[in-house]
Amino acid sequence: MTVSAFYKSIFGNKVYKISLDAGCTCPNRDGTIGTGGCIFCSNSGSGDFVPSKNLSIAKQIEEAKKLVENKMKNQSKNQNQYIAYFQNFTNTYGNISKLSEKWNEALSCSQIVGLALGTRPDCLGDEVLQVLSKLANKTFLQIELGFQTSNETSSKYIRRGFSNNVYFDAVKKLKNANPKIHIVTHVIFGLPGETEVDMLKTVKDVVNAKSDGIKITSLYILKNTDLATDYFSKKFEPIKMDEYFNLIEKALKIIPENMIIHRLTGDPPKNLLIEPTWTTDKKRTLNMVNNLLSKIGL
């Protein structure tokens, strides 16, 4: 099932995700695990489209709503429904009481019908799980786990900072905490040195972990990242469009019908993107995605 159909089945209408900044950091940046972050991560922590963290959550939501509304034509904007997406860095890492206040502030805003929290599998301690469990009884709650790959060699290269077992355990812990929590796993195709077998195995492992949903994107080489340094040193080549969508077609045959497909291509920040440049042709890439989904009846 596609994510738009999934959200419509829950909320009855189209739902928009709006990105917010809770002011978090990451154990892979503050010295707990590392200081450089993942090799591909920008200085914004993969939150290149979020409003300023200096604004309150309520103000950020108003700013984010305007961005959505400006793209709409002849639609009743006051009837829009939104999921507040705390996207950049690690949104279950830090003072859980203060984070909980921000999540609840988002929920108190008009037209917000649920929450999505981007985080790491190694940042789900018992206290966090207890808070998330209560939150899931109150509202729709989506937890997005950065996994990227099940190839342990690749995970070390990208400085992920946790083993595969940590991810598998995190999915189990979330499900045990509250089955209402909707778990989404992030996967990257095109990591240096990975073969088709490696990438499809990652998808199989996500399926076997019983993640509720999956997001797949190509590897972005962004300015001012260590990955960019390796690219300019000619250590690897970015994935080509035909290769990527050939992999996506094969991945779709692995993904079961009950797994929600949240994303099959991304929207990289054009001002930071070095490669692959084909990802900036949004119309073409979306057409490719829609053609593949139609092919399997979605």
Side-chain angles (χ1 to χ4, degrees), residues 235-292:
K235 292 184 178 180
F236 70 96
E237 289 292 324
I239 194 167
K240 294 180 173 57
M241 187 177 193
D242 289 346
E243 180 187 0
Y244 180 76
F245 282 104
N246 180 54
L247 282 162
I248 291 294
E249 184 169 7
K250 292 178 179 179
L252 287 171
K253 294 175 182 177
I254 297 169
I255 298 170
E257 290 183 7
N258 64 341
M259 178 174 276
I260 310 305
I261 300 169
H262 283 256
R263 182 180 68 190
L264 294 175
T265 185
D267 192 13
K270 291 182 181 180
N271 62 320
L272 295 178
L273 184 72
I274 298 170
E275 285 284 359
T277 54
W278 58 262
T279 58
T280 61
D281 190 344
K282 193 170 182 179
K283 184 176 180 180
R284 187 181 178 196
T285 55
L286 286 176
N287 283 339
M288 295 282 280
V289 167
N290 290 332
N291 288 340
L292 288 177

Side-chain angles (χ1 to χ4, degrees), residues 78-91:
N78 291 330
Q79 294 180 1
N80 286 348
Q81 293 180 311
Y82 299 94
I83 290 174
Y85 181 23
F86 290 85
Q87 181 179 10
N88 52 330
F89 297 111
T90 306
N91 289 279

Side-chain angles (χ1 to χ4, degrees), residues 129-253:
L129 290 169
Q130 288 175 11
V131 172
L132 296 181
S133 176
K134 291 177 182 177
L135 200 58
N137 285 328
K138 178 180 178 180
T139 189
F140 172 80
L141 178 61
Q142 182 168 302
I143 300 297
E144 305 202 10
L145 299 175
F147 182 48
Q148 324 309 359
T149 179
S150 61
N151 182 310
E152 295 277 19
T153 300
S154 295
S155 74
K156 290 174 183 175
Y157 168 71
I158 64 174
R159 302 195 302 251
R160 191 179 67 183
F162 59 85
S163 69
N164 289 344
N165 285 336
V166 172
Y167 162 74
F168 297 132
D169 287 344
V171 175
K172 290 178 183 176
K173 287 194 293 185
L174 285 166
K175 287 186 174 293
N176 288 336
N178 194 327
K180 292 180 181 179
I181 296 173
H182 181 69
I183 305 166
V184 182
T185 301
H186 289 226
V187 170
I188 294 177
F189 281 176
L191 290 172
E194 289 209 353
T195 65
E196 176 181 303
V197 171
D198 293 322
M199 289 179 264
L200 295 181
K201 183 180 183 300
T202 294
V203 175
K204 291 175 184 175
D205 287 337
V206 170
V207 170
N208 290 334
K210 306 298 183 186
S211 178
D212 300 304
I214 190 168
K215 279 187 172 183
I216 306 176
T217 188
S218 59
L219 177 68
Y220 300 138
I221 305 163
L222 302 180
K223 296 175 183 177
N224 304 316
T225 62
D226 290 339
L227 183 68
T229 301
D230 282 1
Y231 169 70
F232 287 124
S233 298
K234 301 188 183 302
K235 292 184 178 180
F236 70 96
E237 289 292 324
I239 194 167
K240 294 180 173 57
M241 187 177 193
D242 289 346
E243 180 187 0
Y244 180 76
F245 282 104
N246 180 54
L247 282 162
I248 291 294
E249 184 169 7
K250 292 178 179 179
L252 287 171
K253 294 175 182 177

Side-chain angles (χ1 to χ4, degrees), residues 28-174:
N28 210 5
R29 285 179 178 267
D30 70 2
T32 302
I33 293 173
T35 55
C38 291
I39 196 169
F40 52 78
C41 195
S42 68
N43 289 332
S44 64
S46 298
D48 299 293
F49 301 105
V50 298
S52 171
K53 65 181 179 183
N54 295 322
L55 298 175
S56 69
I57 297 301
K59 288 287 187 183
Q60 287 187 47
I61 286 173
E62 290 306 310
E63 291 295 318
K65 280 183 185 178
K66 289 176 187 176
L67 292 176
V68 174
E69 292 168 357
N70 288 340
K71 297 177 183 178
M72 300 172 64
K73 294 180 181 179
N74 302 320
Q75 294 186 43
S76 179
K77 298 170 184 178
N78 291 330
Q79 294 180 1
N80 286 348
Q81 293 180 311
Y82 299 94
I83 290 174
Y85 181 23
F86 290 85
Q87 181 179 10
N88 52 330
F89 297 111
T90 306
N91 289 279
T92 61
Y93 182 65
N95 185 306
I96 191 64
S97 295
K98 291 182 179 179
L99 288 173
S100 185
E101 286 177 8
K102 293 181 180 183
W103 303 337
N104 282 295
E105 181 182 351
L107 289 174
S108 71
C109 295
S110 64
Q111 300 170 272
I112 300 297
V113 295
L115 296 176
L117 308 178
T119 191
R120 291 169 56 91
D122 56 356
C123 292
L124 293 167
D126 291 342
E127 185 183 5
V128 172
L129 290 169
Q130 288 175 11
V131 172
L132 296 181
S133 176
K134 291 177 182 177
L135 200 58
N137 285 328
K138 178 180 178 180
T139 189
F140 172 80
L141 178 61
Q142 182 168 302
I143 300 297
E144 305 202 10
L145 299 175
F147 182 48
Q148 324 309 359
T149 179
S150 61
N151 182 310
E152 295 277 19
T153 300
S154 295
S155 74
K156 290 174 183 175
Y157 168 71
I158 64 174
R159 302 195 302 251
R160 191 179 67 183
F162 59 85
S163 69
N164 289 344
N165 285 336
V166 172
Y167 162 74
F168 297 132
D169 287 344
V171 175
K172 290 178 183 176
K173 287 194 293 185
L174 285 166

